[in-house]
Amino acid sequence: MATERLNSILNHLTPSKSGLATITQKNPDDVVITLALRTPLAKGFKGGFKDTQLDYLVYSLLKKVREKSNIDPQMVEDICLGNVNDGKAGYVVRAASLAAGFPNTAAASSVNRFCSSGLKATQDIANQISLGNIECGIAIGAEIMSAGGDRLANPFHEEILKSQDAADCMQPMGQTSENVGKDFNISREAQDRFAAESYQRAERAQKAGWFDDEIAPITTIVKDPKSGEEKRVTLTKDEGPRWGTTFDSLSKIRPAFPTYGDRSTGGNSSQVTDGAAALLLMKRSTALRLHQPILAKYVGATVTGLAPRIMGIGPSLAIPKLLGKHNLTLADIDIIELNEA
């Protein structure tokens, strides 16, 4: 271990000129992911989690993380929940973690950075581990969009609304989507073709069982909207992929936001989703000591802002910024996964 530590220090003092070589080095102080687990992703308002509360979803996933990781819960020092809709998310994650079997010595908090809240939670836990503040932590992203709650009930103060950028923060996602389509000349056809390919990829992956080992089955209650009858169900698969979706079928769907434009539809837009995902993070040296599988190395993260009216293109600004920080180019990256919302 002393030799590994010395090599780690030497690597920092004499970094490789190649960014790729640097980030693929294995050092004891690396922050690594040892478990990645999620719930099935259900359709908002009509899917399997429509009657499930956020606290139960977070509790259920944390319990599965504790069981599957097989680590001593006392090792976990902090749990961070990324959530947008629920202003009481901090209370939720604290109570849920205790009920799931983590000790009261494990702290808990919540963060909100809209669509990237789960990523923000991951960044928070990774940074704490990297700085030596904690040795092991869990990052979660969870949302019950069926519950609503993310819309501003009233406009901002009149002084704030004098700023156009500030006023644009009131624009709903459908409007910002149409803004992006117009500003960057992304046609309805291009969106439909991209969406069709996405559906087909998801269908192939689902049929092949590629998602199965990352999904934790969740048992919950679903209420019949007409009769009120409650039924106990166990969700095991994502509800979003619509098998057999084609460009032709998507092209027949009417625009979802006709007030703002005619390019985004219920077929080529991301669905309203209920679900949760979690990562267990620790230093490489800790993972090796505990005989935990190392799934991935956390390399880094960054943030950047842009005009709120075209917020959807945020990744096109954040990705080059992040790559630049690590002396990388897109040519160095084998797989890119983006939130299609």
Side-chain angles (χ1 to χ4, degrees), residues 257-269:
F257 313 105
T259 303
Y260 309 117
D262 59 3
R263 307 175 195 224
S264 298
T265 73
N268 64 29
S269 302

Side-chain angles (χ1 to χ4, degrees), residues 41 84 113-119 145 173 194 198 269-271 273 311-316 319 336-341:
L41 301 180
V84 180
R113 187 168 276 168
F114 301 101
C115 295
S116 58
S117 295
L119 295 177
M145 295 187 73
M173 286 184 66
F194 186 92
S198 181
S269 302
S270 298
Q271 72 173 27
T273 299
M311 60 88 186
I313 69 162
S316 70
I319 290 172
I336 297 173
E337 182 176 347
L338 291 179
N339 178 351
E340 289 181 9

Side-chain angles (χ1 to χ4, degrees), residues 137-160:
I138 297 173
I140 320 171
E143 213 71 60
I144 297 291
M145 295 187 73
S146 295
D150 64 326
R151 285 285 182 88
L152 290 169
N154 300 301
F156 293 117
H157 189 279
E158 60 183 20
E159 287 298 314
I160 292 176

Side-chain angles (χ1 to χ4, degrees), residues 149-202:
D150 64 326
R151 285 285 182 88
L152 290 169
N154 300 301
F156 293 117
H157 189 279
E158 60 183 20
E159 287 298 314
I160 292 176
L161 293 175
K162 290 178 181 179
S163 161
Q164 187 58 56
D165 273 350
D168 287 344
C169 290
M170 296 290 297
Q171 292 190 17
M173 286 184 66
Q175 184 175 358
T176 65
S177 172
E178 291 293 347
N179 292 342
V180 169
K182 292 172 186 174
D183 288 11
F184 299 95
N185 196 28
I186 304 171
S187 68
R188 162 71 187 269
E189 178 181 346
Q191 292 184 206
D192 285 346
R193 290 195 181 280
F194 186 92
E197 182 179 18
S198 181
Y199 275 117
Q200 290 157 15
R201 286 176 173 176

